Amino acid sequence: MSLVTDDTAALAALDIRRDRRVLGWVVTALAATLVTVALLLPNKVGQVEPKAFLRIPAEGIIAVALILVWPARFVRLRQVGAALGGTLLGLLMIVKFLDMGFYASLARPFDLVLDWALLDDALSFLGDSIGEGGAKAVAVGVIVLALAVVALMALSAMRLSTVITRHRTGSSRSIAVLGLVWALAAGLGWQATPALPIAARGEAALAMDRARAVKAGLADHEVFAAEASVDAFAGTPGDQLLTQLRGKDVMLTFVESYGRDAVEDPEFATQVGAVLDDGANRLAAKGFATRSAFLTSSTVGGGSWLAHSTVQSGLWIDNQSRYTNLVASNRLTISGAFRKAGWRTVGVMPAIDRAWPESNFFGIDKVYDGPSMGYKGPKFAYAPMPDQFSLSTFHRNERAAAHAPVMAEVELISSHSPWTPLPKMLDWNGLGDGSVFESQVQGAPSPDELWTNTTKGRAEYRKTIEYSLSTIISYVENYGDENLVLVFLGDHQPAPLVTGENASRDVPITIIGSQSVIDRVGSWKWQPGMKPTADGAPVWKMDQFRDRFFGAFGPGDGATTTGQHTD
């Protein structure tokens, strides 16, 4: 009986040891997999494919070599070093995930100094798409996941450090072979994919790139201050500003995500071009002339306020820090110049749903925000109301009756992603409180359908651009007169979901007015009509518009100050 018991205990002990060994192998394999994925993971969604992980990371080879030569008596220091290295690798992995999101939406990597404020805007946009509760749940989940990634990466590095030192001979041979293959692949230029070499060294490059970006971000405050200190119009008296627009209503109108691709991409250009060409002909029949060109935006895919403030201020505002510093300054804006010259100034901003103290900086007397417009209809995803209702509200309150000249910054947002539901034009006299739009949201595709289907997403984007442009044209056709001047432009190109990678940052811009107004901008060499083309329309940086506009419509012949800008 005793022999049986002893044998059973021995077998049980063997089973436990075997299970522990198997468990140890599994844990080691998982740790190695996690570290390898972190080292080789690209920071662009389009590059994430199986071949991307069939590469050899130089950082991994160097890390193993360091562990092998580490003095055995400093075991604790080795583990501390492994933990720190794993933590850094985990943080870099999080940066890669942030890069994926920023490349997909803003066509650029995440800025470790300047972009944290944008995460709050991303959360707000997510709330508009899936609800506030769902957005908060996603935010909590992301934070927990980020902490888990860092902790698991540190533990994995410590585990691998122990295993490598325990199996020095095998580790040394393996690392020698991998090092030789890495050097051969680097020398011969072998590629795992067209964008990713087999001899990988992305983590070091990423860390160095971010270190340089952090340094530049910290120094940008002084750079921007120097740029902002130069203003040719800061001391211009009000009676010498915008003298050639006296008595006219002026609308500076931004069309959300109306980028150059909308008028040049073959998938969009025919339909959008037809809207613009037909509109130019209809407005010409009403006595309006039109000219168009391109501006290079300070942002892409999002961050519309950066583009708005760039146009308004004549300064290059391409990050949140610059925007914050701008609105704390006394820089003369386009709206501010009109107010200084005696116009009533208003902002039509349906997406704003809270206090907006920046209005005083921009020189805006009255803000028509979402809650103040009296809209009782359905929400159109991100857009709380259709563009037609926004313009109708502005006209009813500011231009319908006898009035002093008014200048308005108008933000049209029906073309904001996710481009569903799609508004449709109605009779201007039948909009009421907006309830008539209720039927337009029934049966619309969900945002998920468009985000996961590029073809559908691009088609709906085009339709919303056509809608916004048709709304502007119809407004001028119905309510324009010789005393209306309307400038409309895109704020930025849409996200890479629509344009693909490496698209330009250009946006179309058009001015509509009487022939006498258009004659003032003759020196701009803008193209006749409302559809600019690559072979006929100039391209300016967006921050050049303010001074050119002031120069064209100030005293004199309209020429821009010599040497102030270059095309």
Side-chain angles (χ1 to χ4, degrees):
M1 185 70 178
S2 176
L3 288 174
V4 173
T5 302
D6 290 343
D7 289 344
T8 301
L11 289 172
L14 286 172
D15 287 341
I16 292 173
R17 285 197 295 270
R18 184 180 65 245
D19 290 344
R20 285 179 177 175
R21 284 198 300 270
V22 171
L23 179 60
W25 295 336
V26 171
V27 171
T28 300
L30 290 175
T33 299
L34 184 60
V35 169
T36 302
V37 167
L39 287 169
L40 296 177
L41 180 70
N43 65 346
K44 295 181 179 180
V45 174
Q47 293 179 356
V48 179
E49 55 180 303
K51 289 182 180 180
F53 301 98
L54 299 177
R55 300 182 295 143
I56 304 171
E59 298 83 1
I61 295 173
I62 294 170
V64 173
L66 288 174
I67 292 170
L68 289 172
V69 301
W70 194 271
R73 62 182 180 276
F74 297 135
V75 176
R76 290 187 178 179
L77 284 178
R78 186 199 69 214
Q79 289 297 81
V80 169
L84 290 175
T87 299
L88 176 60
L89 187 57
L91 292 173
L92 286 174
M93 192 173 187
I94 292 170
V95 170
K96 288 182 180 181
F97 282 123
L98 289 169
D99 280 355
M100 288 182 192
F102 270 66
Y103 273 118
S105 59
L106 302 178
R108 63 174 178 81
F110 180 76
D111 191 304
L112 290 169
V113 176
L114 305 172
D115 280 342
W116 295 104
L118 298 182
L119 298 182
D120 181 60
D121 295 293
L123 186 62
S124 298
F125 174 70
L126 190 62
D128 291 329
S129 300
I130 65 174
E132 186 175 346
K136 288 181 178 179
V138 169
V140 171
V142 167
I143 292 172
V144 171
L145 181 60
L147 294 173
V149 165
V150 174
L152 287 173
M153 204 65 68
L155 292 172
S156 296
M158 293 171 68
R159 173 74 181 184
L160 293 177
S161 173
T162 300
V163 172
I164 289 167
T165 54
R166 188 180 297 161
H167 303 279
R168 285 182 175 274
T169 302
S171 298
S172 299
R173 291 173 179 171
S174 298
I175 211 66
V177 172
L178 287 174
L180 181 61
V181 175
W182 189 95
L184 187 62
L188 297 177
W190 292 346
Q191 296 288 124
T193 72
L196 300 172
I198 288 177
R201 49 187 173 188
E203 295 304 290
L206 178 64
M208 292 178 64
D209 178 65
R210 293 316 154 87
R212 287 191 293 266
V214 167
K215 182 180 179 181
L218 294 173
D220 188 60
H221 178 80
E222 294 181 2
V223 174
F224 179 68
E227 294 173 0
S229 66
V230 179
D231 187 350
F233 293 92
T236 305
D239 61 3
Q240 294 180 32
L241 287 168
L242 305 162
T243 55
Q244 302 302 315
L245 292 174
R246 301 289 182 189
K248 298 188 182 297
D249 293 336
V250 180
M251 298 171 64
L252 178 63
T253 306
F254 291 93
V255 180
E256 173 65 38
S257 299
Y258 176 40
R260 185 167 187 152
D261 277 40
V263 297
E264 289 189 346
D265 188 307
E267 194 171 331
F268 311 138
T270 300
Q271 297 94 324
V272 173
V275 170
L276 293 171
D277 290 341
D278 178 65
N281 292 333
R282 284 158 48 194
L283 295 184
K286 292 282 187 176
F288 290 98
T290 54
R291 294 291 184 274
S292 298
F294 292 108
L295 300 182
T296 301
S297 178
S298 60
T299 185
V300 63
S304 301
W305 62 95
L306 303 178
H308 301 169
S309 55
T310 295
V311 172
Q312 281 270 16
S313 69
L315 291 170
W316 192 253
I317 310 300
D318 62 349
N319 61 61
Q320 189 63 27
S321 176
R322 284 188 167 221
Y323 179 82
T324 301
N325 290 328
L326 173 69
V327 298
S329 72
N330 60 356
R331 179 78 176 186
L332 182 67
T333 64
I334 292 177
S335 295
F338 274 100
R339 181 163 72 174
K340 188 176 181 180
W343 270 262
R344 170 173 166 80
T345 56
V346 303
V348 182
M349 302 174 176
I352 291 180
D353 58 3
R354 64 197 71 179
W356 192 55
E358 294 98 313
S359 62
N360 188 55
F361 161 76
F362 284 106
I364 295 175
D365 297 318
K366 166 71 177 178
V367 175
Y368 291 95
D369 57 17
S372 69
M373 288 193 189
Y375 180 71
K376 303 299 182 184
K379 190 174 183 180
F380 286 73
Y382 176 85
M385 65 193 72
D387 291 342
Q388 188 182 12
F389 190 89
S390 298
L391 286 176
S392 177
T393 300
F394 161 69
H395 184 78
R396 183 175 64 252
N397 289 310
E398 296 292 340
R399 296 192 65 239
H403 61 283
V406 61
M407 182 272 167
E409 178 186 330
V410 181
E411 297 176 6
L412 300 183
I413 57 174
S414 289
S415 51
H416 194 291
S417 61
W419 312 303
T420 183
L422 174 67
K424 296 180 179 62
M425 290 291 296
L426 299 175
D427 183 272
W428 288 92
N429 295 319
L431 300 185
D433 63 2
S435 300
V436 293
F437 291 103
E438 192 68 48
S439 62
Q440 296 187 2
V441 302
Q442 307 301 323
S446 69
D448 286 344
E449 289 183 61
L450 305 190
W451 287 336
T452 57
N453 188 317
T454 302
T455 301
K456 283 186 177 181
R458 285 168 58 85
E460 294 305 302
Y461 161 76
R462 172 185 59 76
K463 292 175 185 177
T464 59
I465 290 294
E466 290 177 41
Y467 165 77
S468 293
L469 297 177
S470 296
T471 302
I472 293 170
I473 294 165
S474 179
Y475 177 82
V476 177
E477 194 174 26
N478 282 275
Y479 300 118
D481 56 33
E482 63 180 6
N483 287 323
L484 177 66
V485 177
L486 191 150
V487 177
F488 72 88
L489 68 153
D491 48 10
H492 52 70
Q493 285 262 52
L497 168 70
V498 173
T499 64
E501 294 186 3
N502 303 317
S504 79
R505 286 175 169 252
D506 297 345
V507 298
I509 181 169
T510 296
I511 183 169
I512 303 171
S514 64
Q515 188 59 53
S516 62
V517 168
I518 299 303
D519 288 343
R520 296 292 303 180
V521 301
S523 64
W524 292 0
K525 306 299 182 184
W526 283 18
Q527 200 169 17
M530 294 198 293
K531 181 183 177 182
T533 61
D535 59 353
V539 181
W540 302 346
K541 283 186 67 182
M542 190 172 268
D543 58 348
Q544 295 180 349
F545 179 77
R546 187 204 72 156
D547 286 13
R548 290 182 182 271
F549 186 80
F550 287 168
F553 294 106
D557 61 4
T560 304
T561 303
T562 301
Q564 197 167 346
H565 291 297
T566 57
D567 287 336

